[in-house]
Each structure stands twice: as structure tokens, then as C-alpha cells.
Amino acid sequence: MNSEISEGVAEDFRQALLDLTLNSRYEISNLTVIARENTEHAYAISEALKTHIKQTSSQKKLPAFYVLDSIVKNVGTPYTIFLSRGLYATFMEAYASVDTVVRRKMDEMLKTWKEPVPGALDSRPVFPRDVTSPIENALIKAKTSAVQAHNEYLRSRQQQQDRGRPSASALPHRETPTPPNYRQQPPPSNVPPPQNNYRPPPPAPMPTPPTMYRPPPATVLPIPPVAYGQPPVQPAIPNNSNPLPTQLPPSMLLELLRATGRLPAVPPTAPPVTSTPPFPGNALPGFPPSFVIPPPTHVSTPPVARTPPFQNATPVPRTALVELPNDVVFSDPHSLKLPRPHLISRLYEKLGTACTQCGRRFQSDEAGRKKKADHMDWHFKVHQRMREAEKNGQHRSLYDWIKSREVEGDSVTVPNEGLNGSGIASSSVDSKPELQYLPVPDDPALASSHCPICQEKFEPKWLYNADEFVWMDARKVGDRIFHASCYAEATKDLSSILKKATPEPAGILGKRKAEDDQVAYRSKIKIEPTS
Amino acid sequence: MSIPGIPGIPGLGQAPAAASFAAPTATSSVVLHELQANSEWRFEVAFGRSIEVKLLSGTAEIFGTELAEKHAYTFRGTKASIFTWHGCRLEVPGTCEEYTAEDTPMVPYVNTHFALEKLRDEAAQNKGEGPRVLVVGPNNAGKTSLVKILAGYAIRMERQPMVINTDNREGLLSIPGSLTATPFASIIDVEQGWGSSPTSGPSPVPVKLPLCYYYGLPSPEDNTKMFKSVVTRLALAATSRLAADPAVKETGMIIDTPGVLSQGKEGYDLISHIVMEFSVNIILVLGSERLYSEMNRRFASNTTPGQAVTVVKLDKSGGCVDRDDAFMRQTQELAIREYFFGDSKRTLSPHTQNVNFDDITIYRIRESSSTHISFLSGDSTELDPSSSEIYEKVSPTGLLLHCIFAVMYATLRDTQETIRDASVMGFVYVAEVDEKKRRLKILAPLNTRITDRPMVWGTWPESSVSLI
């Protein structure tokens, strides 16, 4: 269907590869990103890469291999499959044409291919063993014969013995691990761990117009070229799987949220946490439709079907890659221009899953889920109160200020005082101390009044739950407003509990738990002092 | 008492009628925009029209604030852009002027954010103060957008930036002419610029509380002395708030400026004043080489520890469009309407009252302080000359029709200086002037006595068309 597009992408990729002369982390990660974003053209890209490695000059082979390495480690399927085909030839041909320094690098790289991706939780090797072992065996053979060439005469007999049983001592310059045959690794045909079942396809795979991803010349980039030890940065895949349909009626939504708040955490065996929303809906194999990012049209991927065991051969949990430090500095103008996909993830999946109503993200841990549940409660209540408010009529508040605070109503610090909005002391004799507050009177004269007892002014504070400015610890008695605590002190007609309940408002707001929402909610009905 | 006749249409007078009229035809065509990673969908919605944008999949953000998936966002009378780092699909019923751009300066912008984050982390560790960032650049270079992006990113990472607006041409959570300082602790309301200031009712997106001062002239250069005083006052208030609020303190400030400051010596001096008053330590220069070198010349040489200023040059976005006077005027008018009548999400009911000419105290801002000082210097009054020059006390006339006054937190006995330094309590609008009966009909946001407060009358915002 889009073989033409594939060709375009591949050509673009090939062009970019031609520019790759140095081992520049930036360019390599850039090419990796291109590969990731064009997985539907994986076949064409893989072929282009292989051809490039074959055709390019020997100095450029190593950087090209690093691209291959980066792609299989950071993108994985389906590239692993395509690139593993003919890898033997690609690798060996290149190996034959490069010098010993590069060969050592290639040896090191090959070694990592037999191991899982660094930091990844999947224990399978980067490439299946049946891909890497022939190469390794051939290398051993080749090296052995090289050594043999040097010491043919002396070693001729020993070589015969070593042939079937190569040992490290026979190859002193190579820090190779035990050949894979001896390793206790599960065969690649293992059933992939369940968490990989829904590895999302890369976002919005779309054809790349030619020349778009031409990376800038490496010379302007301040990256030390040889720093390719770590896997390059990886833009994390967006994770917008919101299991909650927005169209749910609020009551159901609330129910659902409350329920989920109590649900057990996602099993610890699902480590790519960032892609695992805390709601059970997503743990199910059939993930919600919202999750289905435009399916990449895998047109040229027949091998996938033939090699199902490799389907998830190299899943890369993002946790392995996001730990790259924030190295942006103002002092270097180039530093500001460098794309850093790993930092972007700090604004997205590292923040957790998004609220379906407003997009705010919450961590998937215990505290985050609690926060989110409170947050959704808050949305729900606001919607309900808005309907209420429509009837009563609203107006712009006066600007009032310096002391006022925006208290995060959706955090755990939701205040839930026994709100006596009218200023009449709550009659309920709760075991909990009651917080008293009054909406700040609209009348500026009254608004600037002092407590008749202590002569101090009332401090306005924005109370989130009530959605208005209030005076904490205020009480209206007749026409006058007192500090509730002063009044209690003066009249002694309230229990000492009330007195204790009047520390600095910040302390109260910061500490209370939102347990008795019901109380808080009932008292949400606004009372307009003047109207 | 509230205004009859308005409530049906949320606060926007005649304009939305056209919008709702246009809606049925618009729904017929739903356009799907597929955005590639790192590209941006730029759109313009005319005044009186609206579009709904829904993120179907992928991720997207508008000026640094992430959009929720499958949530319909309504935009009206705006020029904006939606950016995606990962690619996304947007559903937009109806048509508007739009295009997709792949070349954006978002990488330097987001890197700027992360460079600031590093400073904030340091501040949090050392219990120090977060960076104080000043954004300068010519008109229509995207200063406010950059401020919003940086604030949006900071908010997402659970910071609480203090956003300062010193651009008198556009209000931030307030009407034009006011200078504000607003700590942002929660998500920005993306559908309406910066969101809404508090109302008596609930709000679907948390309201923000600005500290508001008034400079009611079209350009800072019209009365530099007054502008400087108001900036000083604003800086004082903002700094004291910073000291009292650890979360805001470690996040620091992001300061927006009027574009006109980037155009010459007088403006540069005002920038210097802002830098000094707010103890700015990072200046982001948008889209002007000349300004960049000027800023470097002025500030980068100062390496005194604690006062060092880093000057950073950033590219202007290709998406920046010139907003002509007509557009600015409409934006202004909309801001005023929203202040009194609310927006599409909530209808507000302002209050009208009749006031006698004699009961009201109106101060008119003098356009240029210098001429008047020389003119009056021979006057041997006991008054502090600087204090008497700020305003001119005026009696109501027909000229006041459709004007906006700032009602100040001050008393009638206060000196002009005190009034200038006071914060704004609210704004009122003159709906009618009856010179025969010597009465004014005044629209106030709520039923409150205004006659015991000094009111400041500026030429900015310009007297608008009839609001009611």
C-alpha cells in the first residue's frame, strides 16, 4: 500500500546515514527516533541500514553499526526481526574490512547483543541466540585462524584441539564472555511476559517528508563523540490510555473512582509502570479503545508472522532510559537547541497517568492514586455545584489578595471543616474540633472590620472547597464578626475544643484528611451575606 | 439586582449569537488532523465564532499545558497553537483558519524550562529562591506564549510559578491596563487565555488569584514615572508573597513585558527598572538580535554574586502572527465583558447602581508627568509636589460614558501617592451619564458601595462600546 512512502522514508533514512561520519550520540539517537516513529516502514529502513553498512567506507561502518545497535535496543520489534536477517553477513563483511580498534568495538557490541538490554527487565538477549552464535562462532574461528596465521608453525597442533572448544585463554585480547551456548538463558521462544502484550505502537506513525530529519552537522554539537556507552535517549511513548470514558455520568464516575481508589496496586510484576495506568481496565488484554493510537499499517512485515517468538524480543522498559540527567545549561547556546526526548518524558509518562477531565497527571503509586481519586471527586463536586450556582446567580469577586492562597482542593489537603457558612457555630458536638469560617463579606466596610475582641483584622483566605474567600476562625454574632476563638475565650460558652481548633489556618488546611466529605459537601451550599 | 436580558447568552452580548448560529453548519464537516511528532497545529478563531478541538489519541499540549484525551476544548476569538511531542490526532468539527507547522522553537523552549528546573531544584535544596525570569522582545514575538509555556510546564511538574504581567496592553486574569502578579498552583484554563479570576461561584478549572495594580495608559512610555512606581509596588507585593510561600519561592517568577519596551532607550530603561525591582536573574530575549546585544551590554557584565544576570537568546516562533489593532481591541473588549458578565462557562450577573455626580471621586491619570511638574513647580502648596501630579481630580461629564474605572483599596483622604500604590479592588463601568440629573449609572461586578473609594480613570483600556 505505502511501499512508495516506505521508499521515501528509507531514502530519507539513507541520506541521514550518509551524513553520519562520527560516533555522535545525538545523530544516532536522532536516527533511532526516526526509526521509532516509522515502525510501519521498519522493513525498508532496516534494509536501507543494512545496505548502508555494506556500502559505506570502513571508517563509517562503526557509527552505522551503532545506529543498528541503538535501534534494536531502544525500538526493538520489528527492527530486531528485520535486522537479524542477514546480520551474519552484514557483521562479518564489515568486520573483515575494519581495523583492530573498530573490531574491538564490534566485539564489545556483539557481546551486548547476547545480553538483555541494560536496565531492561526483560531477560532475553537483544538478538536471539541463533542470530548471534553463528557470528560469534565465526569470529572465534576467524580469530583463531588469525592467531594461527601468526603462529602457524608453533600452534598448528594446538589449534586442532581448540577448534571445538575455544577458550578465553586462546584469545587473550578479547574480553568475551562464555559463548552463549553455555549460558543459562531461556530460549527466545519464551512466552513474552504479560506486560508486553500491549506495548503500544509508536505514536501517530506518519510518513516523514524527506529532509525533515536531516540532523545538523555533528561538528556543532558539543557531545563527546565516544560517549556511546549508554543506550541513547528514548522518547517515551505517550500513554494516554485513559480508562475512564469522559461521558460517564458524574455519579458513575465517582463510583468508579472511589472503587479504583481501593483497588490493589498493579502487580509489581508489571514494571514498565509508566505505561501501566493504575486502573484495572488496562491490565486486561483488550485495552480500551482510547488506547488504540492509530494502528501502524504494517504492510511490509511478513516475517513478523513467521517469527512470532520474536514479537516482543526486545521490549525496552522506559525506566531503563529516562534516568539520563538533565544537562541543559543556559551558558551554552547549543545546549538549548539539542532535542532531549528523555526530558520530555518528565512532562509526560514520568508524571503518571492523566485525569480524563483536565489532563493533569498523577503518579501511579499509592499516594498518586489517592490524589487522583480526590481530584476526580473535586471535579465531580464542582460540576454539581456549578449546576447549583447557575440558579443562584454569580458575580465576579473583588480582587483580594496578598494574603490569600490558592489551596489545592484536589490534593489530600482538602479541608473538610464542619462548614458553617452562615457563620452560626455548628451545633454538632463532634469528636473532631470544628473549624469555623465565614465567607468574606461583600460589603467592603464590613470586609475591613476588626475582631472586636482582639482588634485584629481578619485575613482573607481562598477556601477551595467553598470556592470563595473566607475568614478562617470567624464567627458572626448578631451583626458583629468575631474570631471564633476570641469569642469562645471571652464568653466561655464553647468548649475548649473549639479553642484548640484555631491554629494557623495553613496548618489546618495542610493536615486534615478528606474523610467526612459528606459533611463538607452538605455545607457547600453557598450563602450570600448580601443579596 | 442583575441585568435582565443578558443571562441567556453567557456574558458575550451579541457575538455568541453568531457563533451558535454558525454551529449547525459547522458540525457537518469533522476534520481530522494527524500531527506528526514535534509538529504544531496553528489555528485562528474569529471573534464571535468558536471551534471545538478534541484530542483523539497521542499527546498534545497547548502553550505548555497538556490536553486531556477525548475532552472537547472550545476556543473562541483566539489565535493559538497545539503542539505535540509524540504525534497525535485531533478532531475538529467545523472549519477555521489553520495549518500545520513542523518547524517550531519548542525544543529550545522546553530546554529553557529544564534549565530553569535545575535552578529550581537547587533552590529547593538550598532553601534559596528560584529563578526570576524576565521575557522581553518586540510586539508579537510570542512573549506571553512563552511565559505561558514556561508556567504550564512548571505547573505540570508541581511547581507554583508566580506569573507577573507588566504588559499594560493585555490583562492577565484582569482587564487591560492592570499589572498583576499571580501565583499559579493549578492547571491553567487553556480555553480562555489564562483562566478566570475568582467569582462567587464554583469554577471547572481552579480560579487564580491575581494581585492587581493599575496603570491605565496605553503605553508605559506615556508616563514612565507612574509605570515605574506601579512596577515597584507590584515587585514589592510579589516579593513579600514569595517570602511567605515556600513553594512559590523555590519556583520563582516568570515576568511578561510589553513589547514596546524593546524598541528604544526609554524602553530599555524601563526594562532595567523591572530587572532591578524584581531582582531578575535570567532574561530571555525573544526574536531580536539588537535587544539581545543591548541586554548583554546592560546586564551580562554584572558578575557580582547574587546579582548576576544571564541573558539568553531564543528564536521567535514562526507561528507568531501580527495582531492588528482591531484584533487587540476586540481582545480588550472581550476581557472587559468577561470581567463583568463571565464567559461561556459561567454567567456572571453584575450589579448596576445610580450614583450622584457629587458622591463620586474620580482621578484621571495624567499622561505625562514631566510637563505638569515644570508647569506647577512655582506653585507653593504644602503638598508634596510629586504626589499631587499623578492624577487630576475630575468631575463627571459626558466623556465618562463607557469608561472603565479602577476602584482602589484606598480611602478618599489618602494622598495621590497612596492611591497609586494601592491595589485594585475591582473595576466599574460607566453605563450611562445623565448630565441633567447629574447621575451616573455604574456597572459593578457586585453590589458593593463604591462611593467611599477613590476611582482611577485612565485612557486605557479605551472606552469601549456599550456593554449593556
Side-chain angles (χ1 to χ4, degrees), chain B residues 254-266:
Chain B
I254 308 171
I255 308 165
D256 197 3
T257 56
V260 67
L261 298 193
S262 306
Q263 284 166 3
K265 167 93 178 50
E266 210 167 24

Side-chain angles (χ1 to χ4, degrees), chain A residues 397-472:
Chain A
S397 301
L398 295 176
Y399 293 133
D400 199 346
W401 347 48
I402 297 181
K403 298 261 169 63
S404 59
R405 292 293 149 84
E406 186 183 350
V407 181
E408 275 286 304
D410 48 10
S411 70
V412 268
T413 62
V414 176
N416 57 97
E417 305 76 37
L419 309 166
N420 37 5
S422 58
I424 294 153
S426 164
S427 57
S428 70
V429 190
D430 255 310
S431 55
K432 277 180 186 270
E434 289 288 326
L435 238 191
Q436 298 201 322
Y437 76 78
L438 267 183
V440 175
D442 284 335
D443 177 2
L446 199 54
S448 60
S449 64
H450 301 249
C451 168
I453 296 168
C454 68
Q455 292 300 321
E456 272 178 30
K457 279 190 111 165
F458 294 95
E459 290 190 357
K461 192 168 180 60
W462 181 259
L463 187 63
Y464 219 87
N465 238 11
D467 252 320
E468 62 185 339
F469 285 105
V470 298
W471 287 340
M472 300 308 292

